[in-house]
């Protein structure tokens, strides 16, 4: 299989692992080599409830027995997407109320940017240095990393970048700004947290000039920081909330959410302001709804603080410089990219899956399923410490 993987499945890195997966359950992925690998990456923050969670599998099977795709987005009322959107409205503060379901995080970002332009009638966008929002042309245009986008220009015009946690850039947010797009916790940059009142001040500035604040919660969403969405830690509510990854519990999905008033601007001038065939697909919505119901009904979010503390207590080693992040999105600074990649490879040899942060390879990524147990945290951290000694 590995040979055909490299021969027929397009690659965009010269160093894909090509790890042959047999099955996955709970916090473990089982390889074709017969070994169990403890998964501290969760498909890059996607497998909120671990692998093959029975509630998600049952929801998918039940929906598959009824119907799959029946119509393009938004034409027919189908139980699972409707229920998902209703529950999202109940679980988030006003004015967040209506949700547009799409197929990926990047598409949700594109949709949110279009929404802001359409609603405000403005053309300019403010994004952040070191940000990552996905890889479509639109999402790449707002990425704050020149190396990843240089070769794909021309991208969207009228986008300017300011520094995360830097209020001096606020004067770039003006009456011409349609929206400010920000990750609540900067992911690719190494899980960088906002300063205490940064978002309060950012929101204030947006309100002063009538720009929409869009928050990208594609990684923190559903529950990864101990709240359903990370903005809830910071005393503000965005005008537009973007989610993806972990909201699916292992299926491809994205969404952007806003007030009824703002979202309605996509229904006219032009009508069909965003179109997607498979957005709101019932099978995907069934999995996402099951994920949301489980996150809300269980005590998983309450456990996050304790699990973060345990990671921080265990990850002490002379080769660890610091641990960034919040909840179960942690980035362990090992000083150099080369060393981090070697440590990740050694962890894999010892049965632990870890990864690195996209822009800052010196950070080892730890984003396990929310369901990871304290024993599994101990087991995985022991492997990391052993790998640090061995490399
Ligand atoms: N925004 C953030 C913060 C992300 O981490 C990602 C994916 O890693 C995206 C957007 C893009 O999501 P997707 O890969 O589903 O398009």
């Amino acid at each position: 299989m590995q040979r055909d993987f490299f021969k027929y499945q397009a690659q965009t890195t010269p160093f894909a692992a090509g790890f042959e997966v047999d099955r996955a359950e709970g916090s473990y992925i089982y390889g074709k080599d017969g070994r169990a690998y403890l998964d501290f990456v969760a498909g890059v923050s996607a497998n909120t409830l671990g692998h093959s969670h029975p509630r998600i599998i049952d929801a998918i099977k039940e929906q598959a027995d009824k119907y799959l795709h029946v119509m393009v987005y938004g034409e027919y009322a189908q139980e699972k997407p409707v229920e998902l959107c209703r529950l999202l409205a109940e679980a988030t503060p006003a004015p967040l109320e209506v949700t547009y379901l799409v197929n990926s995080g990047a598409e949700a970002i594109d949709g949110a940017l279009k929404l802001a332009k359409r609603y405000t009638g403005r053309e300019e966008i403010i994004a952040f240095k070191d940000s990552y929002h996905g890889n479509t042309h639109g999402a790449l245009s707002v990425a704050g990393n020149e190396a990843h986008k240089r070769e794909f220009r021309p991208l969207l015009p009228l986008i300017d970048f300011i520094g995360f946690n830097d209020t001096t850039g606020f004067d770039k947010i003006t009456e011409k700004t349609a929206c400010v797009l920000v990750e609540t916790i900067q992911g690719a940059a190494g899980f960088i947290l906002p300063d205490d009142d940064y978002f309060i001040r950012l929101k204030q500035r947006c309100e002063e000039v009538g720009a929409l604040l869009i928050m990208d919660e594609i990684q923190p969403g559903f529950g990864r920081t101990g709240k359903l969405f990370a903005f809830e830690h910071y005393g503000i509510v965005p005008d537009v909330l973007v989610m993806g990854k972990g909201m699916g519990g292992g299926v491809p999905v994205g969404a952007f959410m806003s007030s009824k008033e703002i979202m309605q601007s996509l229904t006219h001038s032009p009508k069909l302001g965003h179109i997607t065939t498979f957005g709101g697909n019932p099978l995907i919505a069934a999995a996402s709804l099951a994920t949301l119901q489980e996150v809300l009904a269980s005590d998983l979010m309450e456990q996050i603080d304790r699990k973060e503390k345990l990671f921080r207590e265990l990850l002490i080693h002379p080769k660890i410089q610091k641990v960034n992040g919040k909840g179960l999105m942690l980035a362990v600074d090992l000083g150099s990219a080369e060393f981090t990649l070697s440590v990740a490879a050694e962890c894999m040899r010892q049965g632990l899956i870890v990864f690195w942060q996209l822009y800052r390879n010196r950070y080892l990524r730890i984003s396990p399923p929310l369901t990871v147990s304290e024993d599994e945290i101990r087991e995985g951290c022991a492997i990391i410490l052993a790998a640090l000694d061995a490399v």
Side-chain angles (χ1 to χ4, degrees), residues 44 103-109 132-136 139 183 185-188 216-220 242 244-245 253-254 358 365:
V44 185
N103 305 281
S104 69
E107 188 192 356
I109 292 289
Y132 180 78
H133 300 287
N135 252 261
T136 56
E183 286 167 272
I185 295 172
Q186 278 204 318
D216 178 342
E217 293 254 2
I218 287 166
Q219 289 212 50
V242 184
K245 283 187 184 275
V253 67
L358 185 63
R365 161 189 273 274

Side-chain angles (χ1 to χ4, degrees), residues 1 10-11 80 84 98 119 121 144 155 185 195 205 223 240 255 284 308 341 375:
M1 178 168 68
Q11 306 294 328
K80 298 299 176 180
L84 173 61
V98 283
Y119 178 72
L155 295 167
I185 295 172
D195 291 343
R205 179 64 189 160
V240 183
I284 302 300
E308 177 187 350
L341 300 186
D375 281 348

Side-chain angles (χ1 to χ4, degrees), residues 25 86 88 113 159 212 263 365:
E25 197 180 330
R86 190 186 64 78
L88 277 169
L113 295 176
I159 296 172
L212 298 187
M263 197 67 90
R365 161 189 273 274

